[in-house]
Every structure is written in C-alpha cells, then in structure tokens.
C-alpha cells in the first residue's frame, strides 16, 4: 500500500515512531511526525536530551486551541454513531464500537469550562487516545496540525490563571495563537473526585 495515497474515507496511514501505526483522518499530518532517524539534541557525555523535541496534536474546541502529546494518540476518526450510557458523568457523550472495542467518547469542554458543544461540522473529529486504561475518544471541533516543539518553548501557566487540578499544564504559541497543553490524567478526573 502506498503510504502517500489516501485510503478509504480520506484517511492516510501515518507512522508514529515508538507507537503503533496510526490512521489519521487529517491528510498531510504525516510530514510533522518525527522520523526514526531524527533524534533530539543530546548531551554527548551523558546521553540526556538537552532540549528534547515534543510532538503535540493541536486541535480546536470552538475558538480555543489545545494540544495533546502524540504518544497518547491512537487515531483520528470521523464522528461515529454514539450510544448513550445511563448514569454516566455529564462529559461522557456515549460509547461507540471501533474495530471490535467499546470506546467511550467524551466532550472535554465541560472540564475546560468552555460552554456548550457546537453541532458537528465539516471539521469535527473524534481523537482516539490511549492513556493506559484502553481507548478513549475526545470530541473536537477541528484537528489543526501536529506540532514539533522544543520543551523549552512550552511555559507554565501564569499565576492566577490555572487552578489546582486544571488539565492545562503548559502553554505554547503557534504564530499569534496560544494553546494549552493538556494533561490527560487531570482531564479525566471527575470534578466530584477532585479534592
């Protein structure tokens, strides 16, 4: 199969070193992933990265941009049909079947205090991540791109902006836009569990 030609539905295979092959329904992202021959700058004597490269998936929720570490990414899919889950927490939109696995799909807006979810549009996608407990889908309005940034380019949120337990743990810049880098563990903590 030619990795540069779109597969069914416009998806393209993307090789993500250090992870399984990922099908991404966002043509053109593969050029942003690190190749196996690319390594971050290293200290010659210690072998420790001085300022390692990080790969982040940049996506939009309304007018706000957020990013997730690429190693958590399994795939990006068109919004699938969802089945509601009785008594699930409010951020869980439902579950879907994806290649034989039951995948819960959540709306990160509630935890990020962004208001109501927009109706599904042309750019709407579900980002499937794996944080160790199996796959989880995040309903996003648009996948923007994959960023390759140095760790030193990401800053701590300024004092007074982030509260304890806030899933935005670092701030980055893409052109004139700011984006928040999310900690998936904090994003998944139910507000009733915090404390």
């Amino acid at each position: 199969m030619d990795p540069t030609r779109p597969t069914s539905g416009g998806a393209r295979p993307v090789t993500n070193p250090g992870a399984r092959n990922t099908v991404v329904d966002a043509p053109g992202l593969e050029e942003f992933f690190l190749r196996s021959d690319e390594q971050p700058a290293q200290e010659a004597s210690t072998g420790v990265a001085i300022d390692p490269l990080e790969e982040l998936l940049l996506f939009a929720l309304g007018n706000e941009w957020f990013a997730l570490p690429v190693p958590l990414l399994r795939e990006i899919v068109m919004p699938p049909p969802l089945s509601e889950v009785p008594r699930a927490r409010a951020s869980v939109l439902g579950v879907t079947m994806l290649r034989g696995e039951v995948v819960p799909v959540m709306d990160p807006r509630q935890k990020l205090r962004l208001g109501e979810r927009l109706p599904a549009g042309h750019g709407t996608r579900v980002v499937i991540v794996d944080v160790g407990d199996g796959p989880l889908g995040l309903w996003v309005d648009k996948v923007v791109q994959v960023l390759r940034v140095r760790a030193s380019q990401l800053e701590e949120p300024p004092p007074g902006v982030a509260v304890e337990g806030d899933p935005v743990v670092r701030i980055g810049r893409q052109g004139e836009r700011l984006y928040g880098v999310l900690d998936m563990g904090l994003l998944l903590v139910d507000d009733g569990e915090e404390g």
Side-chain angles (χ1 to χ4, degrees):
M1 180 163 115
D2 182 352
T4 63
R5 300 187 72 202
T7 58
S8 62
R12 291 181 178 205
V14 175
T15 301
N16 176 7
R20 69 192 96 189
N21 284 346
T22 305
V23 175
V24 178
D25 184 27
L29 291 183
E30 61 270 15
E31 68 184 89
F32 296 101
F33 286 89
L34 284 173
R35 297 186 314 267
S36 58
D37 61 339
E38 291 183 293
Q39 299 296 325
Q42 293 188 343
E43 181 72 46
S45 60
T46 64
V48 176
I50 298 170
D51 191 8
L53 276 174
E54 294 191 29
E55 289 183 297
L56 302 171
L57 178 71
L58 187 63
F59 62 90
L61 294 172
N63 293 323
E64 302 294 328
W65 284 8
F66 296 93
L68 290 171
V70 163
L72 300 178
L73 176 66
R74 279 183 54 169
E75 59 187 302
I76 300 169
V77 298
M78 299 292 287
L82 299 177
S83 299
E84 289 188 25
V85 180
R87 296 182 298 280
R89 63 188 212 204
S91 61
V92 176
L93 300 174
V95 296
T96 190
M97 289 294 291
L98 190 62
R99 280 179 272 293
E101 290 183 283
V102 176
V103 179
V105 176
M106 74 172 288
D107 182 359
R109 291 171 182 277
Q110 183 179 22
K111 183 70 176 183
L112 296 168
R113 300 177 298 279
L114 294 176
E116 295 295 316
R117 177 168 52 104
L118 300 175
H122 177 71
T124 305
R125 297 291 184 269
V126 174
V127 176
I128 309 295
V129 297
D130 195 334
V131 289
D133 296 329
L136 170 74
L138 297 176
W139 187 282
V140 304
D141 296 325
K142 179 182 177 183
V143 171
V144 179
Q145 70 181 90
V146 173
L147 299 176
R148 296 165 65 185
V149 300
R150 295 287 179 189
S152 62
Q153 295 175 280
L154 301 173
E155 307 167 15
E156 296 289 323
V161 172
V163 296
E164 186 175 348
D166 194 324
V168 176
V169 292
R170 292 183 291 171
I171 303 290
R173 297 175 189 273
Q174 177 65 6
E176 298 297 313
R177 297 288 301 262
L178 294 176
Y179 60 89
V181 180
L182 299 176
D183 179 306
M184 281 301 299
L186 293 174
L187 184 67
L188 297 177
V189 170
D190 189 0
D191 288 331
E193 297 172 3
E194 293 176 336

